[in-house]
Amino acid sequence: MREPVIAGNWKMYKTTGQAVQFAEELKAADLPGGCRVVICPPFTALHAVAGILKGSPVELGAQNMHHLEEGAFTGEVSPLMIRDAGCRYVILGHSERRQYFGETYRGVNLKVVSALEHRLVPIVCVGETLQERESGRTEEVVSRQLAGSLAGLEAGQAGRLIIAYEPVWAIGTGRTASAADAQQVNRFIRDLLAESFGRDTAQTVPILYGGSVKPDNAAELMARPDIDGALVGGASLDVGGFTAIIRAAAGY
Ligand code: PGA
């Protein structure tokens, strides 16, 4: 049985003070067992939030990183730095990074390899645009993205990943993929992982769904066999909504 994972992607929201307040409230909330909970605040709040989360089962992740440990790369943050700030997870290849910051899957691949070398758990995002879905290319696109970002990995490394299927048209739009559609793509991703890394590895990798996950649609999504949790954007900014999603996931 794969333990569900609920990861909150805060994007460019919350000052340090707001992030600390959220972390204190989440720590004090009565969270159910049986669900891994990760929050991914902006870089500026990581260290302070790590301090609050000490002794709590809630874990910490970053939203991006450079693949090198240090160097003349103005504006970038390295795997050593996010580890130092208290992170165990890092979101890689989010569609907003690809859309607005020119990230490619070749670049994502370097980051995935580096994150694993630094004992970080990469949350690797894949997902098609609306145009790609409407032209029937979802599987082709997702399989190319997955092959690109996981190139060169061995089964042992792949077994330490988390994958998030995030259809671009469902992110921040209020349009969720139907649970049946999300299950179909998540299942397809698991089959691809099995082809590349073997069935045992594929069975252990949590495959999340992301894109307008809310308290009122979470349970239906989580009930599907290949949806092992959610990467939550907007609804992760509010402690009440986020804990409701965690409860929905813990029920499966
Ligand atoms: P959303 O974002 O939940 O606000 O749609 C999800 C994400 O971008 O990870």
Side-chain angles (χ1 to χ4, degrees):
M1 262 283 283
R2 290 176 295 272
E3 187 180 36
V5 179
I6 297 295
N9 172 13
W10 290 5
K11 310 192 179 185
M12 199 169 71
Y13 291 97
K14 294 193 193 291
T15 60
T16 301
Q18 291 166 334
V20 162
Q21 191 186 341
F22 181 108
E24 278 168 349
E25 288 176 23
L26 187 64
K27 190 176 172 178
D30 186 18
L31 296 178
C35 178
R36 231 192 303 173
V37 180
V38 182
I39 54 175
C40 304
F43 291 127
T44 47
L46 288 174
H47 187 70
V49 169
I52 307 291
L53 293 182
K54 271 211 184 86
S56 136
V58 178
E59 299 184 277
L60 194 63
Q63 299 172 21
N64 181 33
M65 61 171 221
H66 194 280
H67 66 280
L68 293 176
E69 290 189 346
E70 59 181 15
F73 300 103
T74 301
E76 291 292 308
V77 174
S78 86
L80 283 185
M81 293 165 188
I82 62 173
R83 280 287 310 243
D84 181 54
C87 291
R88 212 187 129 216
Y89 297 81
V90 59
I91 299 171
L92 296 175
H94 191 280
S95 63
E96 286 154 13
R97 303 248 15 121
R98 288 182 278 125
Q99 198 175 341
Y100 304 125
F101 304 101
E103 274 199 19
T104 62
Y105 275 101
R106 198 176 142 65
V108 174
N109 182 233
L110 293 174
K111 295 182 184 197
V112 170
V113 171
S114 168
L116 290 168
E117 278 168 4
H118 290 89
R119 317 295 301 169
L120 288 156
V121 178
I123 303 176
V124 182
C125 303
V126 295
E128 81 287 1
T129 62
L130 187 58
Q131 200 196 7
E132 288 162 342
R133 170 159 285 259
E134 285 177 344
S135 56
R137 294 173 51 222
T138 299
E139 293 194 347
E140 171 207 324
V141 167
V142 166
S143 90
R144 200 178 56 233
Q145 293 173 336
L146 204 68
S149 44
L150 308 189
L153 295 194
E154 288 167 7
Q157 293 172 299
R160 287 157 49 208
L161 301 170
I162 295 176
I163 308 289
Y165 167 55
E166 296 210 310
V168 177
W169 49 270
I171 296 177
T173 58
R175 275 186 71 175
T176 326
S178 72
D181 285 344
Q183 160 62 24
Q184 196 181 354
V185 179
N186 277 31
R187 176 62 206 253
F188 175 71
I189 292 171
R190 198 172 310 283
D191 289 343
L192 290 173
L193 292 174
E195 269 172 38
S196 304
F197 305 110
R199 201 138 277 286
D200 288 353
T201 299
Q203 285 304 330
T204 61
V205 174
I207 305 178
L208 316 185
Y209 167 78
S212 297
V213 175
K214 306 277 181 253
D216 60 2
N217 60 22
E220 198 193 345
L221 288 158
M222 302 308 150
R224 302 287 168 151
D226 289 290
I227 302 180
D228 305 318
L231 182 54
V232 187
S236 74
L237 296 170
D238 165 70
V239 177
F242 191 53
T243 51
I245 294 171
I246 295 164
R247 277 192 215 102
Y252 292 93

